[in-house]
Amino acid sequence: MEILIAILILSVVVTTVLASFNMVFSTTEALDRDAAVYESARICLSQMTADLEQIHITKRPLYRRPEPDDPPDPYRIEGVTEDVDGTSFAQLRFASRNHVPPPDRGGSRIAQIWYYVQSRSDGSFVLRRSDLLYPYPELEKDPADAVLCADVKSLAFTYTDQEGSEVDRWNSDQDDSEQSTPSAVHVRLEIGGGGNSRLFETSVRLP
């Protein structure tokens, strides 16, 4: 009887210890996943901030309001939304000096930057960054474009005009935007795997 009681007590103690270990390990795994998500978001938003802070536009007196038959301004700011496999994501296209061309190539260092979301075969979404030098080709998704972050749940841009009003679309070539540049761009990015996602936001005031 004493041996049976001792075995019972030992079983309770061992079960408690193992449960504690499982809790510690599961908590560590969750913290590691969160850390990976935060690091991915930090790198992504840092890249976006650097690109937007070095945005390039055509300034007066070189700039003039486009006529209806004029070609699009190569340095226009264009923000739209697109449906990707049933989910709406924002896109943003602009010109930026945040690009270093290859050593053997001269000419303009002003690149066309394009952020867009693309689906993968497993049903997840990735945020890509296209970076091309002048003359800028038509916007076309390329599997070789750099992946800023994976497991994207949502992406939205909000544009602030000179009066402080906010809109979710922008085209500096059109009358709706008064052929102007927004004073700031607000980025809203949600990423994460499974049911565990995190929302990150940042605002960039344009020079």
Side-chain angles (χ1 to χ4, degrees), residues 9-35:
I9 294 173
L10 179 61
S11 300
V12 172
V13 172
V14 171
T15 302
T16 303
V17 171
L18 290 178
S20 299
F21 271 110
N22 288 334
M23 184 179 298
V24 170
F25 286 130
S26 61
T27 302
T28 302
E29 291 176 0
L31 290 174
D32 288 342
R33 287 195 299 269
D34 283 348

Side-chain angles (χ1 to χ4, degrees), residues 50-60 62-63 73-78 93-99 108-113 134 136 172 181-182 206-207:
D51 292 340
L52 288 167
E53 286 180 342
Q54 297 193 50
I55 196 169
H56 178 85
I57 62 172
T58 305
K59 300 180 180 179
R60 291 183 175 86
L62 296 178
Y63 177 80
D73 178 5
Y75 304 134
R76 68 190 181 280
I77 301 168
E78 187 175 3
R93 176 233 175 271
F94 59 99
S96 174
R97 294 184 179 276
N98 194 35
H99 172 87
S108 173
R109 292 174 176 263
I110 302 169
Q112 173 185 265
I113 306 297
Y134 191 85
Y136 309 137
S172 57
T181 302
L206 302 186

Side-chain angles (χ1 to χ4, degrees), residues 29-92:
E29 291 176 0
L31 290 174
D32 288 342
R33 287 195 299 269
D34 283 348
V37 169
Y38 276 89
E39 180 64 12
S40 176
R42 184 191 66 80
I43 294 173
C44 180
L45 294 180
S46 294
Q47 180 67 62
M48 288 184 167
T49 299
D51 292 340
L52 288 167
E53 286 180 342
Q54 297 193 50
I55 196 169
H56 178 85
I57 62 172
T58 305
K59 300 180 180 179
R60 291 183 175 86
L62 296 178
Y63 177 80
R64 63 177 180 80
R65 287 182 178 271
E67 298 295 333
D69 296 333
D70 286 346
D73 178 5
Y75 304 134
R76 68 190 181 280
I77 301 168
E78 187 175 3
V80 298
T81 58
E82 180 194 35
D83 183 270
V84 183
D85 289 350
T87 304
S88 181
F89 293 100
Q91 294 184 6
L92 176 58

